Amino acid sequence: MSYSKKTLVGIIMGSSSDSKIMHAAATILDEFGVKHEDQIVSAHRTPTRLTEYAKHAEQEGFKIIIAGAGGSAHLPGMIASHTVIPVIGVPIMVYNDKNKSSNFKASAFGGLDSLLSISEMPTGSPVATVGVNKAANAGLYAIKILANEFPDLKVKLKKYKSKQHESVLRESHEMKKMGLSKFTSKKFKK
Ligand code: RP5
């Protein structure tokens, strides 16, 4: 079966405010042509829906769930406790920021609260955790797991890696040619 035929990844988040960060996971999956279903499921505002979502994910045959949450961030751990599907948690720094402002409000502990809540799952119910706000890495990690099953994805991942390599070489060449001061002011000038 081709990996692009079926929805393989479920993306969930605790609040619409998390979408400002979580869209990066979707963007990576889209880039690789991996289908995903995106929903809002709150562990503390919709606890029964959380149970239903776990059943839904198993019925749909999702192979990975990417779950983002901020604050005390129960969602990834609670979903993991309801299903055998591997969960990748994204700790989110945003808090109570549903308005349209582009400035993110930080949680009281700047995302460390969510990071620890997700990564410190007790033995027996693991959740893989990426860095604070690193939703793109969750997307990439999901693709790495799927690549074990789908050889085409492995080929795409290798291409992605060599593109990264080339881009560093290109920048380094530019830096060497221009000198550090000129390079920095060109690249980061306001
Ligand atoms: C968590 O509370 C959500 O994951 C979100 O990061 C945080 C704040 O939610 P809102 O108040 O912005 O809805 O459940």
Side-chain angles (χ1 to χ4, degrees), residues 14-15 17-18 44-45 69-70 94-98:
S15 164
S17 65
D18 298 327
H44 55 274
R45 290 172 183 153
V94 170
Y95 198 79
N96 251 335
D97 187 17
K98 286 189 178 180

Side-chain angles (χ1 to χ4, degrees), residues 47-142:
T48 51
R49 181 167 150 68
L50 182 136
T51 319
E52 284 157 18
Y53 177 84
K55 285 186 195 139
H56 162 74
E58 297 213 347
Q59 273 158 12
E60 291 295 317
F62 295 164
K63 291 185 181 284
I64 294 155
I65 294 172
I66 297 176
S72 57
H74 294 114
L75 180 65
M78 283 310 294
I79 277 292
S81 72
H82 278 291
T83 174
V84 295
I85 301 169
V87 176
I88 306 173
V90 183
I92 292 182
M93 198 178 79
V94 170
Y95 198 79
N96 251 335
D97 187 17
K98 286 189 178 180
N99 64 45
K100 290 206 171 82
S101 106
S102 57
N103 300 324
F104 294 133
K105 283 185 197 161
S107 66
F109 299 95
L112 186 61
D113 38 1
S114 327
L115 174 67
L116 295 178
S117 175
I118 298 171
S119 66
E120 292 304 310
M121 282 295 287
T123 302
S125 195
V127 173
T129 315
V130 295
V132 174
N133 286 352
K134 296 279 192 298
N137 269 356
L140 271 174
Y141 199 69

Side-chain angles (χ1 to χ4, degrees), residues 16-32:
S16 62
S17 65
D18 298 327
S19 68
K20 292 180 179 179
I21 297 297
M22 291 303 289
H23 69 88
T27 303
I28 288 282
L29 294 173
D30 291 341
E31 203 177 315
F32 279 81

